[in-house]
């Protein structure tokens, strides 16, 4: 049962708790991102407030976890892989919290689309974009859950789909600007931009895990 | 000879228990199984209260007016530069300073509400309930078994001694390493093992407070971490007060930290308590500049 190096169980438990809590927070954010996608593409105005409301516990959890990580940094003097993980955790927390805010920003655009005819709302593209963005984010949460360095290494390539669909959406919006009006154009630009940013945060999260595991940040402009 | 030493408690609260037996007839009843993790909770009862404690060695004023509560089932750390009085204060808690003829304590130290320096309080009983582990492992020149059984034998323990020895060594995280060589000399153990043996010896007499004066400063880093991990386990059942020169150790193991400093006046060095707070506050946002300067390595 005992070995000469069998030490610091309590500290190990604290680190495990942080990782588990990051996964839980990431799952909460991912659920709200998917819901935001449905609210936008199906024009569910009555669910806008629910998405906004669901961001509050995300923010509370974010602050709580940030304080826990800060305290561990101060009290446990982490080094090597522990230090990398905790520094990565503070960055991941920020990326997750921002992604949650972006989901809120997305649903806030829905009201601006209210008068736009269904066939001109570009729902197909928005749906593809929200799916690609949510998948990227899910994959990032999986990287945290499994401490899988490979996901971060391939993340930028994986994210190319989001960038492509975002480009397609912007082109389509520009072509329809006379038909749908300026306000709807702006809303769709924002929606495209926010989903794309969420996917970028997903890429960053996976890359932070790569750094935590390997000590090297993946190549690319991250 | 442990004579009673001077106390200056201005008023005596007669509702307070007068003897240690009155104070905690059943220590077991006060022990809850709740585990708290690293964050201290104000729900933990105050087990020891230092009120305006001043310590003197002859005319020398070693410690000036220290007041702080110590809560049960927590680790309280005393940190500070050399000469700040932290060892004097921890030794005053179980009346170890009685053994120094010129030492004198003023103020009050209460344990479960009983003034430990009141007349009629037996210092031997104080030390049974408030055990101590020292900087250098100091096992007796006896077998491992006899080291642990020594205290219980003296206090005429009537239960199953083998069981008590095993339980004490298990709690001190040493049992698995020594169970096949209990009759070997304690001196055959490594330094870290000897220190855990001293902890086993201290808890064999069923104390509820353990005082540790630099318990790991003579040990290598791995043995040190084992002692620290052990402290984390022990605080589920015992109240621990630790003096340490190693600030990082205080940060790692303690729930609350007291920072002591020293004033030099006319060649006299007098220790005083600067700040006492939960450990996370001391190490992330101390309220006094002196604390900040000390823990960031800019003073001391």
């Amino acid at each position: 049962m005992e070995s000469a190096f069998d030490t610091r169980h309590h500290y190990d438990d604290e680190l495990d708790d942080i990782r588990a809590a990051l996964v839980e927070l990431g799952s909460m954010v991912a659920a709200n991102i998917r819901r935001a996608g449905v609210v936008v593409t199906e024009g569910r105005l009555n669910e806008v407030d629910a998405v906004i409301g669901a961001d509050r516990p995300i923010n509370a959890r974010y602050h709580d976890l940030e304080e826990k990580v800060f305290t561990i940094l101060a009290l446990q003097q982490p080094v090597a892989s522990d230090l990398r993980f905790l520094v990565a955790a503070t960055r991941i927390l920020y990326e997750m919290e921002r992604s949650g805010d972006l989901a809120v920003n997305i649903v806030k655009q829905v009201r601006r689309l209210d008068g736009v005819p269904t066939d001109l709302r570009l729902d197909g593209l928005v749906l593809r974009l929200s799916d690609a963005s949510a998948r990227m984010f899910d994959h990032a949460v999986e990287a945290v859950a499994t401490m899988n360095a490979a996901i971060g290494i391939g993340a930028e390539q994986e994210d190319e789909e989001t960038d492509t669909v975002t480009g397609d959406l912007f082109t389509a919006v520009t072509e329809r600007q006379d038909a749908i009006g300026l306000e709807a154009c702006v809303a769709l630009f924002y929606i495209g931009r926010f989903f794309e940013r969420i996917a970028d945060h997903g890429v960053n999260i996976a890359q932070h895990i790569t750094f935590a595991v390997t000590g090297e940040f993946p190549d690319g402009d991250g | 000879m442990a004579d009673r030493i001077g106390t200056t408690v201005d008023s005596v609260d007669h509702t307070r228990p007068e003897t240690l037996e009155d104070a905690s007839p059943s220590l077991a009843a006060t022990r809850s199984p709740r585990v708290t993790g690293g964050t201290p909770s104000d729900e933990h009862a105050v087990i020891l209260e230092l009120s305006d404690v001043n310590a003197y060695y002859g005319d020398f004023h070693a410690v000036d007016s220290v007041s702080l509560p110590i809560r049960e089932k927590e680790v309280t750390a005393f940190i500070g530069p050399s000469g700040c009085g932290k060892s004097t204060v921890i030794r005053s808690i179980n009346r170890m300073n009685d053994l120094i003829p010129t030492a004198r304590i003023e103020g009050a130290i209460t344990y479960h509400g009983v003034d430990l320096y009141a007349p009629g309080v037996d210092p031997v009983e104080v030390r049974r309930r408030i055990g101590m582990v020292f900087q250098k492992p100091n096992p007796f020149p006896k077998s491992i078994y006899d080291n642990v059984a020594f205290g219980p034998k003296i206090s005429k323990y009537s239960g199953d001694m083998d069981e008590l020895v095993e339980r004490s060594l298990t709690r001190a995280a040493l049992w698995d390493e020594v169970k096949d060589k209990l009759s070997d000399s304690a001196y055959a153990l490594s330094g870290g093992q000897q220190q855990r043996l001293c902890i086993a010896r201290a808890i064999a007499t069923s104390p509820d407070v353990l005082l540790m004066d630099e318990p790991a400063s003579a040990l290598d880093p791995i043995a040190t971490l084992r002692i620290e991990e052990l402290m984390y386990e022990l605080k589920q059942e015992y109240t621990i007060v630790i003096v340490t020169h190693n600030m990082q150790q205080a940060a790692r193991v303690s729930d609350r930290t007291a920072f002591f400093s020293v004033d030099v006046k006319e060649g006299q060095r007098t220790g005083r308590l600067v700040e006492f707070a939960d450990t996370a506050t001391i190490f992330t946002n101390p309220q006094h500049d002196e604390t900040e300067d000390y823990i960031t390595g800019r003073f001391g």
Side-chain angles (χ1 to χ4, degrees):
Chain A
M1 166 185 139
E2 310 260 5
S3 84
F5 298 93
D6 189 15
T7 56
R8 305 199 79 180
H9 301 287
H10 165 55
Y11 173 46
D12 289 342
D13 290 347
E14 280 187 325
L15 295 175
D16 281 347
D17 288 349
I18 294 291
R19 195 186 47 73
L22 283 175
V23 172
E24 202 181 319
L25 178 66
S27 303
M28 289 163 74
V29 174
N32 226 23
I33 292 167
R34 288 194 183 283
R35 195 165 180 187
V38 173
V39 168
V40 171
T41 53
E42 299 188 6
R44 297 187 187 174
L45 270 173
N46 58 337
E47 289 186 28
V48 168
D49 287 341
V51 172
I52 295 171
D55 194 48
R56 281 185 210 113
I58 289 170
N59 287 339
R61 191 73 66 94
Y62 159 72
H63 287 297
D64 176 52
L65 264 173
E66 192 180 54
E67 195 177 320
K68 282 197 171 110
V69 172
F70 181 57
T71 304
I72 296 175
L73 285 168
L75 301 187
Q76 298 293 344
Q77 301 92 42
V79 291
S81 61
D82 299 338
L83 178 61
R84 295 201 305 274
F85 169 70
L86 288 165
V87 169
T90 59
R91 295 171 177 170
I92 288 169
L93 276 168
Y94 165 77
E95 311 273 2
M96 287 180 171
E97 193 271 342
R98 281 302 303 149
S99 301
D101 289 348
L102 288 168
V104 167
N105 292 345
I106 286 166
V107 296
K108 283 182 176 169
Q109 305 303 317
V110 176
R111 290 190 186 99
R112 295 173 134 177
L113 291 173
D114 201 25
V116 179
T118 314
D119 58 330
L120 294 177
R121 288 177 52 142
L122 303 166
D123 283 346
L125 277 172
V126 173
L127 189 62
R128 269 180 64 200
L129 179 59
S130 73
D131 270 355
S133 158
R135 270 202 313 279
M136 186 65 241
F137 197 87
D138 285 345
H139 217 179
V141 176
E142 184 194 335
V144 181
T146 57
M147 294 299 284
N148 182 345
I151 293 174
I153 293 168
E156 284 203 0
Q157 271 184 313
E158 190 185 339
D159 188 41
E160 280 173 11
E161 186 192 351
T162 325
D163 296 340
T164 308
V165 182
T166 306
D168 292 349
L169 178 66
F170 286 179
T171 306
V173 171
T174 312
E175 287 167 356
R176 282 166 179 72
Q177 58 178 315
D178 292 339
I180 62 178
L182 183 61
E183 188 170 12
C185 279
V186 170
L188 285 165
F189 271 123
Y190 272 136
I191 288 168
R193 173 71 179 148
F194 294 155
F195 274 123
E196 188 217 356
R197 283 303 300 151
I198 287 173
D200 288 344
H201 285 302
V203 170
N204 293 347
I205 289 168
Q207 291 179 332
H208 294 319
I209 290 296
T210 307
F211 168 75
V213 174
T214 67
E216 308 262 342
F217 210 78
D219 290 336
D221 55 17
Chain B
M1 186 61 203
D3 288 327
R4 195 179 81 75
I5 51 184
T7 63
T8 57
V9 185
D10 293 335
S11 61
V12 176
D13 177 358
H14 292 287
T15 62
R16 289 197 314 206
E18 295 288 314
T19 69
L20 293 181
E21 283 66 28
D22 293 342
S24 57
S26 168
L27 292 174
T30 66
R31 287 181 182 151
S32 77
R34 203 163 64 80
V35 176
T36 58
T39 310
S41 158
D42 286 341
E43 293 162 29
H44 286 202
V46 173
I47 186 170
L48 281 158
E49 179 97 47
L50 280 65
S51 308
D52 205 13
V53 170
N54 284 267
Y56 300 86
Y57 296 106
D59 293 336
F60 168 50
H61 191 189
V63 175
D64 183 34
S65 190
V66 170
S67 298
L68 59 87
I70 290 164
R71 291 178 187 273
E72 66 179 357
K73 298 192 185 74
E74 287 187 356
V75 177
T76 301
F78 292 176
I79 62 171
S82 295
C84 70
K86 56 193 188 295
S87 283
T88 297
V89 172
I90 199 175
R91 283 154 188 268
S92 69
I93 293 175
N94 74 342
R95 296 185 55 170
M96 291 297 287
N97 286 341
D98 289 19
L99 306 172
I100 301 168
T102 58
R104 183 162 55 90
I105 297 289
E106 291 181 358
I109 300 176
T110 59
Y111 163 77
H112 290 295
V114 178
D115 184 351
L116 289 174
Y117 286 88
V121 170
D122 176 4
V124 175
E125 180 62 11
V126 170
R127 290 173 207 139
R128 189 189 71 69
R129 287 166 180 263
I130 305 175
M132 193 146 194
V133 175
F134 297 89
Q135 178 174 1
K136 221 168 152 242
N138 57 350
F140 301 132
K142 292 171 174 291
S143 72
I144 293 166
Y145 184 101
D146 286 342
N147 262 274
V148 181
F150 187 81
K153 271 183 193 160
I154 285 186
S155 58
K156 302 191 169 53
Y157 179 69
S158 58
D160 181 343
M161 188 64 85
D162 289 353
E163 189 270 334
L164 177 65
V165 168
E166 177 174 347
R167 180 155 37 97
S168 303
L169 286 167
T170 302
R171 280 184 184 157
L174 188 59
W175 173 250
D176 286 342
E177 292 162 61
V178 301
K179 63 186 174 193
D180 299 323
K181 48 179 180 182
L182 292 173
S183 56
D184 286 11
S185 166
Y187 288 165
L189 299 174
S190 71
Q193 288 172 325
Q194 287 186 15
Q195 194 63 306
R196 278 180 279 140
L197 178 64
C198 292
I199 291 170
R201 186 177 66 188
I203 61 187
T205 58
S206 304
D208 60 354
V209 179
L210 284 174
L211 307 176
M212 298 186 171
D213 192 354
E214 295 273 357
S217 63
L219 306 180
D220 69 58
I222 296 297
T224 296
L225 290 176
R226 297 214 65 183
I227 296 285
E228 292 179 6
E229 187 68 18
L230 176 58
M231 289 171 70
Y232 189 79
E233 298 299 323
L234 288 173
K235 79 167 178 179
Q236 320 301 340
E237 197 163 351
Y238 305 96
T239 302
I240 296 174
V241 185
I242 177 178
V243 163
T244 177
H245 275 298
N246 181 337
M247 279 182 286
Q248 286 71 31
Q249 180 167 69
R252 287 191 295 261
V253 303
S254 72
D255 300 291
R256 294 177 207 267
T257 298
F259 169 62
F260 292 79
S261 189
V262 59
D263 288 332
V264 182
K265 262 184 285 183
E266 294 163 10
Q268 269 208 355
R269 296 166 65 86
T270 301
R272 67 189 157 81
L273 177 64
V274 175
E275 184 166 356
F276 177 59
D278 64 277
T279 299
T281 299
I282 292 282
F283 285 93
T284 59
N285 190 17
Q287 299 304 300
H288 291 257
D289 290 346
E290 271 182 283
T291 315
E292 173 97 22
D293 288 349
Y294 183 73
I295 65 169
T296 56
R298 290 178 172 81
F299 148 80

